[in-house]
Amino acid sequence: MKVTPIQDGFGAEISGVDLSKPIPDDTFEALHLAIDEAGVVMFQDQVLSDIDLVEFSQRLGPLEQPLKRDQYGGIDERVTMLANVDDDGNLIKLSDKHGIYMKGNLLWHSDSSFKPVPCTYSVLSAKEVPSEGGKTEFADLRACYDDWEGPYGDIEKEELEDLVCEHSIIYSRSLISGDIFSDQEKKEMSPQRQPLVRTHPRTGRKVYYVGSHCSHVEGWPVEKGRALVRELSGFCVRPDHIYSHRWKPNDLVIWDNRSVLHRGRTYDPTQRRIMHRATVGGDGPLL
Ligand code: OGA
Ligand code: MN
């Protein structure tokens, strides 16, 4: 196995390992360390069935249950579908209900930060990709925490350490998709409290745990909290701290939602894009 850094301390390409085959423990541990170090890693030419994807991803930890909306196209029930193709193989239009819902992925986010127990790693496997566009971008939240000096208004950086934010997918989708959820879904996906500063248990590194689902700061006027979240998210996505992945079929990218923000980019909606994602669940609530 070979690990080739992409940028200084952020992103790596890993080669010389077949993720569809059993991986010896010592190689797996080296792989796990490389993911933690880089925040996002990419592999080429990985032909994986859903079962292979699940089996590999489970070694990083027990998987999270996908949202019902993200289960279609005959996908394994432990895997999230990200595709503009429906159960019958027809293209989903951007103006269709599911097309509007999927627009949420265009905003910088950390997967499932709106859930009571947020996830850790996302493992995304590309099946079919458009000939251009449709990249996925990653930004380093750790460098954001380390480099952002504050103050925010009259509030010093140190004073932000113990703040709590409200995260909600109802909120984040309202920013780009409108009011798309049923009353039942709104009940099931009520806002969740998360720490503004999330510490990575394996590396000890800290991040500002922001992104689109992060709405506002508990105990602050809503607009003041939203402005802080915008400031920190904006600082995180500085162009020189972004890795932009241009997909080929059978690329596989693993990112750590504790270390990076990510977003999808637009593409020609008449072309097919099919991606399957396994998501590793967290150990428990962060607070
Ligand atoms: C995801 C995601 C963006 C993309 O898989 O969680 O946000 O480019 N993907 O498909
Ligand atoms: Mn995502």
Side-chain angles (χ1 to χ4, degrees):
M1 188 179 83
K2 185 165 162 236
V3 180
T4 311
I6 294 174
Q7 291 175 20
D8 195 19
F10 179 52
E13 173 167 1
I14 301 184
S15 57
V17 55
D18 180 347
L19 304 179
S20 72
K21 300 258 156 61
I23 300 171
D25 285 344
D26 54 345
T27 308
F28 186 81
E29 191 44 34
L31 182 72
H32 199 170
L33 286 170
I35 301 167
D36 286 334
E37 178 81 16
V40 51
V41 300
M42 63 91 96
F43 305 78
Q44 301 184 54
D45 307 316
Q46 300 290 337
V47 180
L48 266 64
S49 67
D50 281 351
I51 292 180
D52 296 335
L53 179 65
V54 165
E55 280 180 359
F56 166 72
S57 305
Q58 270 175 349
R59 289 188 71 182
L60 294 165
L63 300 189
E64 179 183 279
Q65 182 62 39
L67 295 180
K68 287 190 209 86
R69 280 186 180 249
D70 297 327
Q71 286 244 287
Y72 52 100
I75 202 158
D76 186 288
E77 62 189 14
R78 295 159 297 179
V79 177
T80 292
M81 180 74 152
L82 288 104
N84 65 343
V85 180
D86 67 15
D87 292 351
D88 303 323
N90 300 317
L91 275 180
I92 298 172
K93 291 206 218 69
L94 289 176
S95 57
D96 289 350
K97 201 168 159 230
H98 194 68
I100 293 171
Y101 165 74
M102 282 199 304
K103 276 164 64 181
N105 284 336
L106 300 174
L107 301 178
W108 287 105
H109 64 282
S110 178
D111 286 334
S112 71
S113 74
F114 56 87
K115 294 190 177 178
V117 177
C119 67
T120 57
Y121 307 96
S122 292
V123 183
L124 187 60
S125 165
K127 310 293 176 194
E128 292 184 47
V129 299
S131 55
E132 57 183 325
K135 290 182 179 179
T136 307
E137 295 184 332
F138 300 90
D140 192 352
L141 278 169
R142 304 161 307 175
C144 168
Y145 181 87
D146 294 347
D147 296 349
W148 188 79
E149 288 180 349
Y152 180 69
D154 53 4
I155 304 168
E156 296 299 330
K157 175 168 176 166
E158 296 71 46
E159 296 177 78
L160 301 179
E161 283 307 281
D162 298 323
L163 294 177
V164 172
C165 295
E166 191 175 296
H167 288 237
S168 159
I169 191 174
I170 313 296
Y171 166 70
S172 59
R173 286 302 196 266
S174 78
L175 299 172
I176 190 162
S177 303
D179 181 9
I180 56 170
F181 293 105
S182 66
D183 289 345
Q184 179 63 25
E185 283 174 313
K186 284 180 185 165
K187 228 184 281 161
E188 284 167 11
M189 299 192 292
S190 60
Q192 298 296 322
R193 303 171 69 237
Q194 309 292 3
L196 175 63
V197 177
R198 185 176 185 181
T199 306
H200 197 294
R202 287 174 51 93
T203 64
R205 292 191 72 180
K206 290 180 174 182
V207 303
Y208 290 118
Y209 191 39
V210 290
S212 63
H213 306 307
C214 182
S215 164
H216 59 273
V217 177
E218 200 174 83
W220 283 19
V222 170
E223 275 317 317
K224 180 176 170 184
R226 289 200 173 148
L228 173 66
V229 171
R230 270 198 302 277
E231 156 89 12
L232 296 173
S233 301
F235 190 83
C236 175
V237 301
R238 293 164 291 167
D240 54 340
H241 288 80
I242 287 175
Y243 166 63
S244 180
H245 187 73
R246 188 194 164 135
W247 294 95
K248 299 185 306 312
N250 303 322
D251 280 358
L252 183 137
V253 174
I254 304 175
W255 65 91
D256 189 335
N257 289 289
R258 298 166 292 189
S259 303
V260 307
L261 292 181
H262 66 284
R263 69 168 175 181
R265 305 293 282 161
T266 55
Y267 55 94
D268 174 356
T270 65
Q271 293 195 28
R272 293 159 65 93
R273 186 175 190 268
I274 302 181
M275 326 281 278
H276 290 197
R277 190 183 86 201
T279 319
V280 180
D283 303 334
L286 303 182
L287 290 169

